[in-house]
Amino acid sequence: MDGITPGGLPAHLDGFVRAVREAGIPVGISSAVDAAHVLTAVDLLDREQLRHGLAAVLLHRAAQRPPTTCCSTCGGR
């Protein structure tokens, strides 16, 4: 293989959810399912849309979001 994980997008999402959990952020099964739904609703080539969509369903407290995930209108401040 050329560095792509077998299983495609579902496997990448599973790995991402696991990484979020390992970072100490609790992610339940329903939130992981919601994250899969996000992937069908956003433009996967638009990183900002994807980031905001996944953050909306996986991060439930403002403290869980790094300061740089602020909206683009404020320049990440």
Side-chain angles (χ1 to χ4, degrees), residues 1-75:
M1 290 249 144
D2 55 293
I4 298 175
T5 306
L9 194 55
H12 285 287
L13 179 60
D14 181 59
F16 180 75
V17 169
R18 288 174 189 263
V20 171
R21 287 177 178 147
E22 289 172 6
I25 298 171
V27 177
I29 300 222
S30 63
S31 292
V33 170
D34 290 344
H37 289 289
V38 165
L39 299 183
T40 67
V42 300
D43 178 358
L44 297 178
L45 299 177
D46 185 330
R47 290 180 136 190
E48 190 169 335
Q49 264 189 34
L50 185 57
R51 178 176 33 250
H52 287 291
L54 290 174
V57 298
L58 296 176
L59 306 178
H60 301 288
R61 294 184 177 86
Q64 294 171 329
R65 294 179 186 230
T68 57
T69 62
C70 181
C71 65
S72 59
T73 57
C74 69

